[in-house]
Amino acid sequence: MCGIVAYLGDKEAYPILINGLKRLEYRGYDSAGVALINDGAMRIYKCQGKVSDLEAHVNGQSTAGTLGMGHTRWATHGQPNDVNAHPHASNSGDLAIIHNGIIENYAPIKEELRKRGHVFRSDTDTEVLAHLIDDVRVTEGVDLAEAVRLALQSVVGAYAIVVLDTHSPDLMVAARRSSPLVIGIGDDGAHYLASDATPIVEHTRNVVYLEDGEIAVMQRGHGLRIRNIKNQVKTPFIQELELHLEALEKGGYDHFMLKEIHEQPRSIRDSMRGRLNLAKGEVVLGGIKEHEQKFVQAKRVLIVGCGTSWHAGLVGEYLFEELARIPVEVEYASEFRYRNPIVNEDDIVIAISQSGETADTLAAIELAKSRGATIIGICNVVGSSIARVTHAGSYTHAGPEIGVASTKAFTAQVTVLTLMAMMIGQRKGTLGGSAFHRLLNELDSIPDKVQRLLKAEPQIKRIAEIYQHANNALYLGRGYSFPVALEGALKLKEISYIHAEGYPAAEMKHGPIALIDEEMPVIVIATKGASYEKVVSNIQEVKARKGIVIAIVTEGDRVVKDLADHTIEIPETADPLVPLLSVIPLQLLSYHIAVMRGCNVDQPRNLAKSVTVE
Ligand code: G6P
């Protein structure tokens, strides 16, 4: 949500900023802008639209300068237009800021500054902060770094900011609270700043993750200094990035989403690597080993997450209850944080997040932590905020996910949840010897089965062609396939803007059955397993009302084939592992429908990949 990039070094900043913004565009893409300082003067270019629109807007104008910052926006306060785009300048125009987050008390600050003669041009909370910092700088007679520190003391909300000032043309100041910022340190003494490491990795592997409440000051010739808002000096902890550049490229695919769907045989394998030991017949999750006993004794597991991660959590509920016999509650992080939830010290809370930055999930963790629960993170982004605030955790190792609609992150989350439930089930004795071994072997074969399943893409594309103009779609599943139905519906609505709903198949008769007609496709996950016959009956109910059925079935199925309008086969597997296979045709179906409808698959309207505001 909003991408931030900044550079201070010996090279021209503009190409570095534009390139960085393109890498960050998945975070927000309704407007973009840059600010450059050259010869003591500030130039700001910004406009509504994507980074490519910004490039066109800047074309032919001066972009000189070795200090600059760029921003790609996901609107919170004020419409996405040229004026509301970042950077925002102060009243004098000498200082500019880019910001990710929300300043909650911007209204009283704005009012106060207005009384003192400040004139505001935009509707944003960010502009207020630019005015405030410059005002503090002038009235207190302090330098830029101190002005930022003092101004932030009166700010309530979440932010990652970068501030530049023509009075300090060799200085870049950044600060964070509940919004991520990474600093890259180049071999040539250059400094890079970004919302995540994706714009930095091509320049340097040495990074510092700024902590909450910290202010970073980068000065030409003086390196990096960090203080906190209370003015205590902090020693920067330099880490080496594990990210690789190829992971951030499309690699010959038309879209990141398609690439990420096709990466799943590898990403699922990577999620299991070193954790699943067939020879020894065990699962070891090193990151949570220390808390294994607590897990075994837990009376309850609470799972929190948002969006697709919440759907993975629902699969986790079925897994933990079946394999480890622990009661599970799955909560939307946004609901959990604002209730007065009952959390006990012997609860295990699993927080699931691809980005590791989702504001609601972070807040839910803090709440559960304050009540004494043990918090286990399942994150994809290494070093992310959630990975750092949890007591322990397991990374999903799916690699960077750039497409806004989550695909490989979901299957990686479900893989890690499966490993976790199996490990605890084995320790508890609820998942006995041969059942454990069977499941272990089956899990090991999943990446190959996914590979095989991906061959169904041409057939799925043909189905997409038929239903690309649908206005509504219904997704049905039972048991492990119910969360997959929700996920399938989410994928379709996110990227194709077709209204879609996921339902437990048996619930259809309590409402959605009224929608069945000859137009709306009903996508049913009807694989062999515990509730197969029941789902077949649900398909009969749809067909009896002349509905259209697209069924996901187990290879070789004849019964559903005779009933449904279309069937997509997936390899046979154990019930708990079906989600890892059945979700894949649903991802492909959504992808192809969206492409056929001319939608921007990787950057769907109004959405953002990393939701750092509540
Ligand atoms: C956004 C993304 C979704 C994602 C959700 C939760 O809405 O568009 O794809 O599932 O946030 O994000 P997280 O990073 O916490 O998994």
Side-chain angles (χ1 to χ4, degrees):
M1 187 151 290
C2 294
I4 281 179
V5 62
Y7 173 77
L8 170 67
D10 297 330
K11 298 184 188 140
E12 282 300 299
Y14 182 70
I16 295 172
L17 299 178
I18 288 293
N19 207 20
L21 286 179
K22 286 184 181 161
R23 297 235 184 266
L24 287 171
E25 210 168 16
Y26 71 93
R27 297 178 71 91
Y29 33 81
D30 57 41
S31 45
V34 290
L36 296 153
I37 291 194
N38 191 39
D39 284 339
M42 174 108 61
R43 276 199 187 84
I44 296 180
Y45 302 112
K46 55 184 189 171
C47 65
Q48 183 181 346
K50 298 195 181 289
V51 178
S52 52
D53 298 310
L54 174 69
E55 279 183 289
H57 169 69
V58 173
N59 198 11
Q61 305 189 67
S62 168
T63 56
T66 53
L67 169 59
M69 60 187 180
H71 188 268
T72 173
R73 180 170 186 246
W74 186 87
T76 56
H77 292 64
Q79 284 181 9
N81 58 28
D82 294 355
V83 178
N84 289 335
H86 297 213
H88 287 284
S90 62
N91 208 43
S92 65
D94 294 345
L95 180 150
I97 187 172
I98 51 175
H99 167 220
N100 174 24
I102 289 180
I103 307 300
E104 288 171 17
N105 61 338
Y106 80 99
I109 300 175
K110 187 172 186 175
E111 198 41 47
E112 184 58 36
L113 290 168
R114 213 178 239 147
K115 279 187 203 148
R116 309 233 312 272
H118 285 248
V119 179
F120 293 91
R121 302 164 196 94
S122 76
D123 309 317
T124 65
D125 50 342
T126 305
E127 190 189 2
V128 176
L129 198 49
H131 284 234
L132 177 69
I133 295 170
D134 206 17
D135 192 73
V136 170
R137 189 182 63 78
V138 174
T139 50
E140 301 289 327
V142 291
D143 68 6
L144 178 65
E146 185 60 1
V148 169
R149 192 182 73 81
L150 294 176
L152 290 178
Q153 287 177 345
S154 51
V155 164
V156 179
Y159 50 79
I161 54 167
V162 185
V163 192
L164 302 183
D165 175 11
T166 53
H167 301 276
S168 316
D170 291 317
L171 204 65
M172 177 157 86
V173 180
R176 73 157 272 179
R177 184 163 173 257
S178 307
S179 255
L181 267 185
V182 190
I183 300 162
I185 302 169
D187 293 339
D188 57 355
H191 285 91
Y192 304 82
L193 252 170
S195 305
D196 63 42
T198 54
I200 294 179
V201 64
E202 60 204 84
H203 304 292
T204 176
R205 306 200 75 80
N206 296 326
V207 295
V208 174
Y209 290 93
L210 205 61
E211 300 286 342
D212 262 0
E214 287 184 346
I215 299 161
V217 180
M218 287 137 281
Q219 189 172 11
R220 219 185 282 279
H222 290 84
L224 163 70
R225 282 166 293 140
I226 299 180
R227 297 182 293 167
N228 67 11
I229 202 155
K230 294 183 187 140
N231 216 8
Q232 293 157 326
V233 174
K234 298 276 167 172
T235 311
F237 171 54
I238 301 175
Q239 307 183 36
E240 198 174 322
L241 277 180
E242 282 174 19
L243 195 66
H244 293 282
L245 198 53
E246 317 79 73
L248 306 175
E249 311 282 355
K250 281 190 205 150
Y253 286 93
D254 288 344
H255 297 95
F256 280 110
M257 182 178 176
L258 188 61
K259 174 186 173 226
E260 287 156 7
I261 291 173
H262 280 268
E263 274 175 351
Q264 287 175 108
R266 185 201 49 73
S267 56
I268 296 174
R269 176 70 66 208
D270 286 348
S271 303
M272 299 194 277
R273 200 177 301 284
R275 295 168 166 175
L276 175 154
N277 189 331
L278 282 184
K280 280 194 177 165
E282 63 174 14
V283 169
V284 178
L285 287 168
I288 62 162
K289 215 162 172 21
E290 215 186 300
H291 298 271
E292 198 177 304
Q293 199 49 31
K294 262 200 149 161
F295 237 126
V296 168
Q297 286 164 350
K299 298 220 168 43
R300 187 173 68 146
V301 169
L302 281 162
I303 302 181
V304 292
C306 304
T308 290
S309 296
W310 182 77
H311 292 157
L314 287 179
V315 180
E317 176 178 16
Y318 288 84
L319 288 165
F320 269 94
E321 293 198 347
E322 179 173 346
L323 307 179
R325 302 304 296 150
I326 309 178
V328 179
E329 283 168 39
V330 188
E331 303 263 3
Y332 282 116
S334 53
E335 285 298 310
F336 179 83
R337 64 179 290 197
Y338 283 116
R339 285 209 322 270
N340 185 7
I342 298 163
V343 183
N344 303 312
E345 284 186 6
D346 51 7
D347 284 339
I348 296 275
V349 176
I350 301 178
I352 307 178
S353 175
Q354 186 286 127
S355 63
E357 303 294 348
T358 303
D360 283 320
T361 310
L362 264 167
I365 292 170
E366 294 303 343
L367 174 66
K369 226 176 169 182
S370 72
R371 307 223 168 146
T374 303
I375 323 289
I376 307 291
I378 298 182
C379 295
N380 193 34
V381 178
V382 177
S384 56
S385 302
I386 292 178
R388 285 181 293 138
V389 299
T390 43
H391 293 117
S394 298
Y395 282 117
T396 47
H397 296 306
E401 191 180 65
I402 310 287
V404 165
S406 187
T407 52
K408 65 173 180 171
F410 173 78
T411 45
Q413 289 164 343
V414 172
T415 304
V416 170
L417 285 161
T418 309
L419 291 167
M420 239 179 228
M422 287 180 70
M423 178 175 111
I424 305 304
Q426 192 188 34
R427 302 294 185 278
K428 278 186 79 172
T430 51
L431 184 62
S434 59
F436 178 86
H437 283 96
R438 264 203 311 279
L439 200 56
L440 200 63
N441 279 300
E442 200 42 53
L443 185 57
D444 186 56
S445 73
I446 289 290
D448 292 343
K449 290 186 176 175
V450 173
Q451 193 71 63
R452 207 159 91 208
L453 165 54
L454 285 167
K455 297 208 176 85
E457 188 169 2
Q459 185 213 352
I460 296 170
K461 209 168 159 182
R462 284 194 295 277
I463 299 175
E465 244 157 43
I466 302 171
Y467 298 104
Q468 58 175 299
H469 301 297
N471 293 319
N472 294 289
L474 183 63
Y475 286 72
L476 302 174
R478 293 182 87 139
Y480 284 101
S481 296
F482 162 52
V484 178
L486 294 179
E487 177 59 10
L490 177 64
K491 286 294 84 90
L492 189 70
K493 71 182 119 186
E494 275 181 314
I495 60 170
S496 73
Y497 319 136
I498 295 174
H499 169 247
E501 285 192 57
Y503 255 86
E507 275 292 306
M508 178 184 66
K509 54 188 163 298
H510 298 293
I513 199 162
L515 302 174
I516 304 248
D517 59 13
E518 291 171 33
E519 307 276 303
M520 178 182 71
V522 182
I523 297 95
V524 190
I525 303 153
T527 50
K528 291 264 168 62
S531 28
Y532 175 69
E533 281 80 16
K534 310 259 178 228
V535 178
V536 171
S537 305
N538 297 135
I539 292 176
Q540 302 266 23
E541 288 159 12
V542 177
K543 288 312 297 175
R545 285 155 187 88
K546 297 203 175 117
I548 304 158
V549 173
I550 303 170
I552 312 296
V553 299
T554 309
E555 269 170 2
D557 184 296
R558 293 246 55 92
V559 179
V560 178
K561 215 168 212 161
D562 288 344
L563 283 173
D565 299 81
H566 311 273
T567 51
I568 303 166
E569 293 192 340
I570 64 167
E572 188 160 8
T573 190
D575 257 11
L577 308 182
V578 168
L580 291 171
L581 301 181
S582 58
V583 75
I584 287 163
L586 305 188
Q587 296 168 345
L588 284 169
L589 186 67
S590 304
Y591 170 79
H592 285 294
I593 289 180
V595 170
M596 286 166 193
R597 288 167 71 98
C599 299
N600 186 338
V601 174
D602 283 335
Q603 295 169 352
R605 71 179 177 213
N606 304 338
L607 294 177
K609 180 87 187 144
S610 169
V611 182
T612 51
V613 296
E614 64 171 273

